Amino acid sequence: MPLQIHRSSWSDDDLEDFRDLARTFCQKELTPNQERWIEAKQVDRELWTKSGEVGLLAISIPEEYGGGGGTFAHEAVLYEEQARAGDGAWGVSVHNGIVAHYLLAYANEEKKREWLPKFASGEFVGAVAMTEPGTGSDLQGIKTRAVRDGDSYVINGAKTFITNGAHADLVVVAVKTDPDAGAQGVSLIAVETSTPGFRRGRVLDKVGLKGQDTAELFFDDVRVPMENLLGEQEGLGFIQLMQQLPQERLIIAVSAVAGMEAAIDQTIAYTKDRTAFGRPVFNFQNTKFTLAEAATEAAVARAYLDQCIERHLRGELDVQGAAMAKLWTTERVNKVVDDCLQLFGGYGYMTEYPIARAWADIRISRIFGGTSEIMKEIISRTL
């Protein structure tokens, strides 16, 4: 029986029906393809249109823009089932939970009606480009420039570590529109990747998430209409990023907790089946105590995560709460999965075992979306 046997406080019958759909899709379309996607360093492009056809894209975008009309709870269900399917390749959380919501919140009405239905169908894949080769968490230090030229912006610069970079049809790009204004000089501009001057670099070779198309992007005199600016004026990018980051960090926490639960389930099953010295590995006290501690870690993390999801659904989740959720769950999942891998012995280090892939995949969770150290800095400001 799966570790999480109680329905989350924020769920209901409709969400559990949606969970059945998401679980079926993830087990059928994601789990069997992991090795092939790792070799290719990206998922099949057709995965996006398949998922759009069954209603898994833009699920929390209003129906008037072609979306599913759901809430963040629908997003959470999908990311949980993706984690339990052992998938680290499909960048759906960036597409659904991040990029689509930048467009919904800040694009003008005409662009929302143009772009969001394509996000829902899978015709467009979304990415967000913040990080640059010389800047990590310090978004004020970005060098990519957007200069006004008539009724257009001309963009020059480079971005790296971009999830969905190889497949993206639309990228929300953090740029400097005023290089002398610090945070007030940052703007967000949407760039369709068919625009002349846009080019993709390498799909990067990572420690984990090897099936995900994390790429370099380059902008060489990329000219886009002024209407592609997100927001009513220049210089709002930093504020927009801060408004959207709590949801991004909550998404990471959702995947972390589901990943923790999945790892424990796998380890319980393995240790009950595997024998050593004439008895199941599970029967050794060290195994039982390790798993008891892991199950407790997961249960406590789940309780706080569920509280944060409830707050977010009410529009009450603040920056501090999201930072706490991201910090706690990602630190705990790294410890729990490492402890679980140890119980697999030598087989835990073989990449054919899902626990090995999970161990490599989850390491990035303490880095992306803001490092653990940045989370502590954010939390400390409220003390």
Side-chain angles (χ1 to χ4, degrees):
M1 180 174 289
L3 185 67
Q4 192 204 0
I5 58 174
H6 302 294
R7 178 188 290 187
S8 289
S9 53
W10 44 267
S11 190
D12 57 27
D13 289 344
D14 288 341
L15 281 166
E16 293 308 310
D17 288 341
F18 178 72
R19 184 182 299 280
D20 290 340
L21 168 67
R23 178 180 297 133
T24 299
F25 183 88
C26 290
Q27 289 177 349
K28 178 185 176 185
E29 301 292 345
L30 305 186
T31 305
N33 292 310
Q34 293 302 302
E35 293 294 336
R36 188 165 57 80
W37 291 342
I38 288 170
E39 287 294 319
K41 293 187 179 180
Q42 57 190 279
V43 301
D44 302 327
R45 183 61 179 80
E46 294 74 24
L47 177 66
W48 293 98
T49 47
K50 281 184 182 179
S51 55
E53 287 168 3
V54 299
L56 295 180
L57 298 184
I59 47 181
S60 57
I61 297 300
E63 293 179 2
E64 65 181 295
Y65 300 115
T71 68
F72 181 80
H74 292 83
E75 302 284 357
V77 166
L78 175 58
Y79 309 145
E80 286 178 347
E81 294 307 318
Q82 179 186 16
R84 289 173 185 147
D87 176 64
W90 187 28
V92 67
S93 62
V94 171
H95 176 91
N96 269 9
I98 300 174
V99 185
H101 280 271
Y102 276 112
L103 301 181
L104 178 67
Y106 309 121
N108 65 40
E109 189 67 20
E110 179 184 348
K111 291 298 184 182
K112 282 192 280 195
R113 294 190 180 279
E114 177 185 349
W115 287 329
L116 287 172
K118 295 179 180 179
F119 269 62
S121 68
E123 180 183 346
F124 266 23
V125 174
V128 59
M130 301 183 202
T131 306
E132 297 184 359
T135 63
S137 299
D138 180 18
L139 291 174
Q140 296 184 51
I142 61 174
K143 304 295 184 188
T144 299
R145 290 285 311 277
V147 178
R148 288 272 296 272
D149 182 27
D151 58 357
S152 301
Y153 285 102
V154 178
I155 302 172
N156 283 279
K159 300 289 183 177
T160 193
F161 307 150
I162 308 305
T163 300
N164 295 340
H167 282 163
D169 301 282
L170 184 142
V171 184
V172 172
V173 187
V175 300
K176 276 288 184 72
T177 43
D178 183 347
D180 300 319
Q184 286 70 44
V186 176
S187 300
L188 300 182
I189 297 178
V191 177
E192 294 188 36
T193 59
S194 59
T195 308
F198 172 85
R199 58 190 173 90
R200 308 176 204 267
R202 299 174 297 150
V203 174
L204 301 169
D205 191 12
K206 306 180 296 297
V207 170
L209 301 178
K210 287 181 173 289
Q212 191 181 96
D213 60 333
T214 310
E216 301 170 320
L217 305 180
F218 299 97
F219 304 84
D220 303 317
D221 290 330
V222 174
R223 182 178 292 271
V224 299
M226 282 180 55
E227 292 75 26
N228 286 25
L229 176 73
L230 300 187
E232 297 178 356
Q233 64 190 55
E234 295 176 4
L236 299 178
F238 207 79
I239 295 170
Q240 293 164 341
L241 291 167
M242 294 305 104
Q243 290 171 339
Q244 295 297 318
L245 276 171
Q247 176 155 309
E248 178 178 351
R249 289 167 179 159
L250 189 57
I251 288 169
I252 295 169
V254 168
S255 296
V257 173
M260 218 183 310
E261 293 165 346
I264 296 167
D265 287 340
Q266 292 167 24
T267 309
I268 291 170
Y270 179 83
T271 55
K272 287 185 175 181
D273 183 62
R274 178 80 172 173
T275 59
F277 303 101
R279 56 177 169 157
V281 172
F282 182 85
N283 288 356
F284 290 93
Q285 186 183 69
N286 178 69
T287 305
K288 290 188 283 189
F289 280 17
T290 298
L291 286 168
E293 183 177 327
T296 304
E297 295 269 21
V300 173
R302 166 63 63 182
Y304 184 59
L305 173 67
D306 284 349
Q307 180 192 121
C308 287
I309 292 174
E310 289 180 359
R311 290 166 62 191
H312 189 50
L313 290 170
R314 295 195 301 266
E316 298 172 1
L317 182 64
D318 56 12
V319 170
Q320 177 199 31
M324 286 180 168
K326 201 267 182 186
L327 172 66
W328 184 258
T329 59
T330 58
E331 292 290 333
R332 301 338 287 167
V333 70
N334 274 271
K335 178 183 185 299
V336 165
V337 174
D338 190 73
D339 288 346
C340 286
L341 184 148
Q342 186 73 15
L343 295 176
F344 278 74
Y347 288 104
Y349 207 62
M350 300 297 107
T351 55
E352 66 206 66
Y353 278 74
I355 194 70
R357 289 201 301 267
W359 181 79
D361 288 350
I362 56 92
R363 183 58 182 84
I364 189 61
S365 66
R366 295 171 56 205
I367 298 173
F368 66 10
T371 64
S372 290
E373 292 73 25
I374 293 291
M375 296 305 99
K376 292 173 187 177
E377 177 67 23
I378 290 168
I379 296 162
S380 71
R381 292 172 188 168
T382 69
L383 303 182

